[in-house]
Every structure is written in structure tokens, then in C-alpha cells.
Amino acid sequence: MGRRKKTSLMNVDGVVDFFNNVMVEKKLYLPFLIPLILMFWALEKWIFSLTNWVPLVLAVWVTIQYGNYQHQIAVEDLNKKWKRLTLRTSPITPLEHCEWLNKLLMEIWSNYMNPKFSLRFQSIVEKRLKRHKSRLIERVELLEFSLGSSPPWLGLHGTRWSTFGDQRVMHLGFDWDTTDLSIMLLAKVAKPFFGTAKIVINSLHIKGDLLLMPILDGKAILYSFISSPEVRITVAFGSGGSQSLPATELPGVSSWLVKLLTDTLAKTMVEPRRQCFSLPAVDLRKQAVGGIVYVTVLSATKLSRSSFRGSPSRKQTRLSSGVNGLQEHIDDKVIQTFVEVELGELTRRTSVRPGSNPQWDSTFNMVLHDNTGIVRFHLYEHMPGSVTCGYLASCEIKMKYVTDDSTMFWAIGPDSGVIAKHSEFCGKDVEMVLPFEGVNAGELAVKLVVKEWQFSDGSLSFNNLRVSSQPSLNASSNFLSRTGRRISVTVVEGKDLITKDKSGKCNLYVKMQYGKVLQKTKTVHSFNPTWNQKFEFEEIGDGEYLKIKCYTEDVFGDESIGSARISLEGLVEGSPRDVWIPLEKVNSGELRIQIEAVRIDDYEGSRGSSYHGNGWVELVLIEARDLVAADLRGTSDPYVRVHYGNLKRRTKVMYKTLNPKWHQTLEFPDDGSPLLLHVKDHNALLPTSSIGDCVVEYQRLPPNEMADKWIPLQGVKRGEIHVQVTRKVPELEKRPSVDSSLSKAHQISSQMKQMMIKLQSLIEDSNLEGISAPLSELETLQDMQEEYTVQLETEQKLLLNKLKELGQEILNSSPSLSRGSS
């Protein structure tokens, strides 16, 4: 459907351009054409019929005009190609042999070039695999990616230099036919098939012609193919391990991979798309994982509607002079444009400015989640009174972190030339004037400033200062296990947030997700809210992002007004980060977030020690609110199923409510297991349905201090649960006696017997409607009996531990007893 819509839009645009061309060419004949049409109409009406001749004449006239239009397009295309060819091939140096280049490439390929190219192209291929999948494959994952130890052959037939404006360009052949590579994919096959298959690419052949462009006095090289190269691959299907399909070829997978690789090359490194290979003088051995970039859209020049709609021919220029030229000049003065800046999933828009030379001077805070990025600028025309905007043209700047702690920027210049800039340190601004791609006129002036680079070791580079945190005392790695550190996140404030509430009210809150843990701030009634709320998460590692979403409360359901993600990689203890994070998928809005990593030892030293194995966890399930309706009548019968390690407990059922109140207390031996809550809808006949899940974080709570929490439910659109959780210290005098626990257990047993008698009588009376309530009470009593059984076991364990501690104290206090025992 998408392709049909796109084709139909292209046909409509072609027809519109054709009629615009006809109107421009025939505008001077309109005064004579209108009386001629009136004369034909008079002859048709009063003298004789011309009905059979008019369609034929009209068809002949349209055919002639369409032929002239196609001829005009072909001439313009040939002129562009000839101009590009003359620029690229004048002058040309003699053909030079380059055996030395291939020998050098073989020496440095395995240890230097292969790791860099493998890492770079692995990230590109992973992104392309997620977006473009075969119909036979439901999900695909890249397991291994290495280009091997066999380098490509360059310039087998020699190389030559040519002048491209002020730029020197090397032309050379590229031929890479290798079987020494390691690329493995794990694919989950789509329905009606089932299972997984390992796809192994065991040979690769890429052949084409390369362009090499040295820039910045030889500090970097831009490289690209002149045209799409020839690509051939050989695919094998592995077996063993997680392989669940026979080792046979899946139909269409080879052609899909060839098309995917060809499209990837065409969209990333075929003219005028160019990749950059930097040659820094100093390698600081740092891996940049993200950065903060300020992008300023300054101004544009030479904007005109005629240039964006296609360059007119000389004949059109002559015919449209005079009054038409004056009208076009007036139209260019009243044209209203704005620029949309795009970096990954982040977009920002300038204000609307009139005229052919608009001035914006708009600065945007952008976040980069890698060591490379593409900043795209899209020019739109604002149409007053219309809900849509007219797309005019685009241009882009590529940026890359260089391992000598500098930043490189490059873009396509006039006549497909090169514009390259180099920022030696963070904080140094770079100004560039970019021509719009695919049009005859129009330039955009922008300024970029890299405020900060963030590295995988936790250090930062900003304002010409390399700042790194002190290493930890035990010299351990910054990448710790899941229980190694805590991440403290403070949501401070927000600004320029956009709300969708037409009434003008503003009820804003923020949700954060890290792994499976979900946290929520309070609701603030302000367009520039201040929360100052602190949350803590257990560090996960493995590149897990902190996901943030900002919402506004509404009567008909909360609406998202932007999201963001923050990389927590490389955080170091004692070095908090205070950053403004721009929101994605909206035109404005930023959140100020403070992030700090705290080691568990330090955290416990300040807030109390852990007592895993010697205490218990007390969980009070108080209430829930705003649950989703699971029944057709718009209500639910909610209860909570609690999972703690291998133990399972449940609350009583609250019937026909979305705001239940349980006020039930559950206790578990403190062994550090995750505490999971599953809110379910009770149904006596059908299986129960889930109406939300959540995780209760309790492991690092101070001893004997209660935490009161409202926890948002996951997996559903709304709903929160109110709990109180406490890590109890084993103080036997504060616990109830064993006798009371035993008496309570006997009491529950007698209640269960009475409930069984009542249930039996209902069955004998065939009263099926009244069975559900006694069954629910019976299940609750059974859970309570299990709870007191666990409580007795916990008390027994605590008594034994206390006896051991008392015995050890007696031995330590009496030297004679200790010698006698030894």
C-alpha cells in the first residue's frame, strides 16, 4: 500500500509540473486563446457541430506539448551530467600503478583497519536489519560481524587524480572478493513457519569504482563509490545450538541480504553520500559514547519558488520576463519558511520568517547517542490558513569524534564539492554555509558547537578541558555487576514543554523506566514545572538506557508530550552529572536531570547495613487506584498475586471496583529475591486476566524504616498500587510469640474447615452462583496459613541464629571455657 501511495503521489506531482510548464509557456497566448474558444463555441451552437473534431484536436495538442516537455527534461538532465563530468575530469593525471598501496593495506588491515571498519559497519548493518526485514523472517539479530583478515584490492588497473573545483580527487578501482569473514545472523522465521535459523555469510564480493578525497590538509579522507557497486554474497544456513530448523536454504533470504547490502551501500557511501576516515596525529584510546551538541540555524539566502520547483529552461526564462518576472520577485518576498533540525529521533523547528533571505538565529540543544551523527536540515514553506507545510529542500552535516579529542564536520558543497571543518576542542564553534541538495539555488548558514563528549570510562571532554574522575580505591572496573552500584536520578525541572490540553490547564508528570523498574514523579501544575524528586535504581549495565517520558493529565486519558533516553554508560562514583535533556518526537521541551552513581558499600554505610538471611521483609498492600476495567460492565475484581523467589502469596478479592483497598500484610524471609506484584482480575469460571505488574525495590532500604510508595503498573495504560515495605531487623522481643503464631494457625485451620462445610452444602443445594465467594475466601485462608507457616520457620531460624550468637559471646567472654572447648 505504501508503494502504491508513493507512486500515485509521484504521478500527481508529474502531472502538476507538466501543466505548470504548459501554463508558463502558453501564458502569452492566453489573450488570443480565449476569443478563439468563444468563436468555436458560437460555431458549435449556431452554425454546425464540431463535437467530433474537438477531442481529436485536443489530443494532438496535448501529445505535442507532452513530447516537448519530456524533451526539455532530457536536455536539462544531459546538461547537468555534462557539467558534472567536466568538473570531475579536468585536468586528469596519467594513470599510476599502486602496488605499494595494496602492500600497505595488507600490513595494517588485520590490526588496525579491520577492527575499525567492522565496528563501524556493524552498527550500520544492525540499524538496517531492524528496519528492513524479509517477509519470511519475523525478527533477526546480528550475532557476529568481522570483515576478516583479507583486505580488498585497490586500483588493480591503476589510479589517477582529477581536480574537482579546489578539491583533489583520486579515482581507483575497488575489488573485494573474500571468504575470510565472520558474519552470522540469528533469524526467527515468521508464520506459518516456526523456529529459528542461523544465517552465515561465508563469502562476499563487492566491485566498483571509488573516490578518495583528502580534506583538512590530510587529516582525514572522504571516500565513496561513484555509482552503486556490484554485490554478490554466498549464504549458508547453520545448525546446532539454538537452531530449530533444518540446515536448508530459506527461499528469498539470499536475494534479501543482497538487496539490503546494496541499499545500505547506496544510502551511506555512494555519491554524494560520503564516509570519513580520520588520521589523527594522537590517539588517546578513548571511546566516545555520546555528546551534547548545540545547533544554531543562522540564516538562508537566495530562496525562490522557481528554484525549488525545478530550474526553468532558457525559453521559459525569456517568456516569463517582464510582468511575470516582477510577479515572481514579489512572490519570493512574501515566501514564509522555517527549518526543521533532525538528529536521530530528535527534531526541533525554528520560527517562521518571510522573504528570500530569512534570519532565524535559533539555537537548539541536541543529544548524540554515538560517536558519529548526521544533523539534517529540512526547509519548509509555511502556508497561512493551511494545516500542512510544503517541503522545499534539505541539506545535512555529518560529524565524527576523532581520537585526538577533536571533532570533524563535513558536508556536500556547491556542485557536489566538499565542505570540511575541524574543531580542535569542545566549545569551539564551527560555521558552515550549505547548499540545498537537488535545487539550483538556496544556501543555509548554520553554526555547531560540541559542548561535551562523554566517554565509556566515565570521563568527559568539554570547554578545552579533559575532565576525568578519580579511579575507585579498589581499582575495579566502572562496568560492575547488577548489584554493584546504585544509580541516583533526580528530576529537577522542565522548560518549554508543550501541552495538548485545549482548556489551557497544565498537569505534568514524568515516568522513568530503567530495565523493568518504573518510577513516576508527582504531578505539577505549571508550564515550567519544578519537581526536585530523587529516585534510585539498581545498575544494570550492558548499555541499558534510562527511558524518560513526559505526560500531561487529561480527562480522557494522559497524553505523552515527549520522550528521551539517557545513556548511563561510564558513570563514576563521586562525579554527578547535571544535564538538560531535550525531548524527542516534539518540537520543543527539555528536562533537567541530575545523575549520580553510588557504590553499594558507600550507600549502605550511610543508610544502614544489609541483613539478608537474618531478617524478614514486611509488605503491606494498602490499595490501588485508576485500574483498567477487565469486565464488560466497566469494573474489575482485582487481587494481587505476590511472587518472592519461590514463594507465592495473594490478597483477598475486592469485587466490582477500580480502586480496591486491601490493607493486607505479608512477610517473607529476607534473602534478597526480587519482589514482584501481579495485579489480576478474579474470574470464577474463566482464566484470570492481568491488569498490571510492577517490581517493589526494597533491597537497599535502611533497616526498620518503612518506605511508602505509589508504584505505576506496567503493561497497562494506567493504574497504580500503594504499598508499604520494611526490611525488619531480627529483634526477637518485637516479634510475636511462637504460641500466638501457633494459636493463630490453629484458628485459621478451624475457619478453613467451616468454609469447606459451607461449600459442601452449597454444592448439595446446586447453588452455583454462591460458590465463587467461599472459594475466594478459602484460597485467602490457605494463603494466610502458608504465611504463618513461613513465619514460624523464620522465627525458628532467628532463634537458632540468636542462640549461636549468644554461645559465641559466652565463649569469647570466658577464656577457660574457650580453652576447654578447644
Side-chain angles (χ1 to χ4, degrees), residues 117-128:
F117 280 117
S118 297
L119 187 63
R120 175 60 183 154
F121 286 104
Q122 178 181 0
S123 61
I124 296 176
V125 171
E126 282 180 335
K127 293 177 182 178
R128 299 283 297 175

Side-chain angles (χ1 to χ4, degrees), residues 220-234:
I221 296 175
L222 299 183
Y223 57 94
S224 62
F225 286 100
I226 298 177
S227 59
S228 295
E230 177 186 353
V231 177
R232 293 198 306 269
I233 62 174
T234 304

Side-chain angles (χ1 to χ4, degrees), residues 14 209 411 522 617:
D209 295 319
K522 59 186 178 183
V617 178

